[in-house]
């Protein structure tokens, strides 16, 4: 089973709202990732958690706040977003976080976020 | 700066045709190259190619890594309308420390297969 689940599938929020995106995997993977994908563009890495610790933050604005409560769950807390933050937010997981040369990232279905 | 470039950016073919998608990269420390297929939502994993696994095949899809030319091709034979998607190439670089697990994606090739 290579399933990564994400909720919600769609989210519409105002610029003053606070919301959260959720990602879950039960493959025993120890690395989890958040990507942002704009239309007709490739995914761009935002954050990497490896063994529940934040290991990469790609200079993401503080209005995006990741959280990894345990090895199966990854959240992305959103606050005071801008309309240009509207995008598809993808979660991925991999077995070891890249410490193995045969590690592969498996993606969830994404959350389509619209900021009004 | 690490770079991944795919070509062509878009391709329109008819069912039954064979297509070849290209991916080239400029890196300092290559670890692996991955191909993904993206339809409406999430990219789905196709192949991973590394120094110890430079050729992969699954059904009508196959991929080869050319480490000398710093490139890879993805071949799809006897294309079907269900092959219509964006094909993404991603390269993982070994920069040590916290750069492990970081993928850099190419811009993708949009493949459209007409009946």
């Amino acid at each position: 089973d290579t399933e990564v689940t994400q909720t919600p599938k769609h989210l519409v929020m105002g610029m003053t709202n606070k919301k959260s995106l959720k990602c879950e995997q039960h493959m025993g993977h120890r690395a989890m990732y958040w990507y942002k994908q704009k239309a007709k563009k490739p995914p761009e890495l935002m954050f990497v958690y490896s063994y529940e610790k934040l290991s990469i933050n790609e200079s993401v604005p503080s209005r995006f706040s990741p959280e990894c409560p345990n090895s199966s769950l990854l959240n992305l807390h959103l606050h005071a977003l801008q309309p240009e933050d509207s995008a598809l937010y993808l979660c991925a997981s991999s077995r070891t976080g890249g410490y193995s040369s045969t590690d592969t990232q498996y993606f969830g279905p994404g959350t389509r976020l619209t900021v009004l | 700066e690490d770079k991944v470039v795919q070509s062509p950016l878009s391709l329109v073919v008819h069912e039954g045709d064979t297509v070849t998608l290209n991916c080239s990269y400029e890196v300092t420390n290559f670890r692996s190259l991955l191909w993904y297929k993206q339809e409406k939502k999430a990219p789905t994993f196709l192949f991973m190619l590394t120094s110890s696994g430079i050729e992969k095949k699954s059904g009508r899809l196959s991929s080869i890594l050319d480490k000398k030319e710093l490139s890879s091709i993805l071949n799809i034979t006897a294309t079907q309308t269900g092959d219509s998607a964006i094909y993404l190439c991603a390269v993982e670089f070994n920069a040590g420390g916290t750069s492990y697990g970081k993928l850099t994606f190419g811009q993708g090739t949009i493949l459209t297969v007409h009946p």
Side-chain angles (χ1 to χ4, degrees):
Chain A
D1 182 14
T2 54
E3 191 179 24
V4 177
T5 60
Q6 288 186 243
T7 54
K9 290 184 182 174
H10 301 274
L11 179 62
V12 179
M13 59 187 290
M15 289 190 284
T16 57
N17 292 157
K18 280 187 186 180
K19 296 284 183 185
S20 296
L21 309 185
K22 189 176 185 176
C23 174
E24 198 164 358
Q25 56 86 16
H26 295 287
M27 296 179 277
H29 288 178
R30 301 311 301 271
M32 296 183 79
Y33 310 76
W34 280 116
Y35 287 85
K36 173 182 176 180
Q37 187 175 25
K38 301 281 271 184
K40 299 189 193 299
K41 298 282 188 185
E44 293 177 2
L45 183 66
M46 299 173 73
F47 302 104
V48 180
Y49 271 84
S50 182
Y51 294 84
E52 291 116 73
K53 289 198 167 83
L54 183 64
S55 61
I56 295 177
N57 176 341
E58 290 288 293
S59 303
V60 179
S62 60
R63 56 186 185 270
F64 295 92
S65 173
E67 180 199 14
C68 189
N70 59 58
S71 59
S72 301
L73 277 176
L74 184 66
N75 298 320
L76 185 63
H77 302 297
L78 315 171
H79 174 54
L81 294 194
Q82 305 294 311
E84 61 263 28
D85 295 321
S86 300
L88 179 68
Y89 287 83
L90 294 164
C91 173
S93 73
S94 68
R95 196 166 50 86
T96 67
Y99 290 99
S100 162
S101 64
T102 58
D103 217 15
T104 302
Q105 289 185 30
Y106 295 95
F107 285 82
T111 293
R112 178 77 60 190
L113 174 69
T114 303
V115 182
L116 300 175
Chain B
E1 186 186 324
D2 299 319
K3 202 158 64 167
V4 179
V5 177
Q6 290 185 245
S7 64
L9 292 182
S10 65
L11 192 54
V12 180
V13 300
H14 289 280
E15 271 193 319
D17 289 349
T18 293
V19 298
T20 299
L21 311 183
N22 301 283
C23 176
S24 63
Y25 56 92
E26 294 175 22
V27 304
T28 48
N29 289 293
F30 171 87
R31 274 169 63 87
S32 63
L33 185 145
L34 298 94
W35 284 98
Y36 288 89
K37 176 183 180 182
Q38 186 171 27
E39 296 171 269
K40 300 258 189 258
K41 286 282 183 82
T44 51
F45 171 74
L46 295 175
F47 299 118
M48 171 186 264
L49 302 159
T50 66
S51 300
S52 55
I54 61 169
E55 190 166 353
K56 294 281 172 76
K57 184 173 169 58
S58 176
R60 296 178 295 103
L61 277 66
S62 62
S63 184
I64 297 173
L65 176 69
D66 187 336
K67 285 205 72 181
K68 198 172 170 186
E69 296 295 325
L70 305 185
S71 65
S72 174
I73 59 169
L74 175 69
N75 276 321
I76 309 175
T77 59
T79 51
Q80 303 169 357
T81 54
D83 295 326
S84 296
I86 300 172
Y87 289 84
L88 293 165
C89 170
V91 179
E92 186 179 9
F93 309 108
N94 180 2
T98 57
S99 291
Y100 275 48
K102 181 176 171 180
L103 290 182
T104 297
F105 282 86
Q107 66 273 59
T109 293
I110 302 171
L111 175 65
T112 304
V113 182
H114 287 309

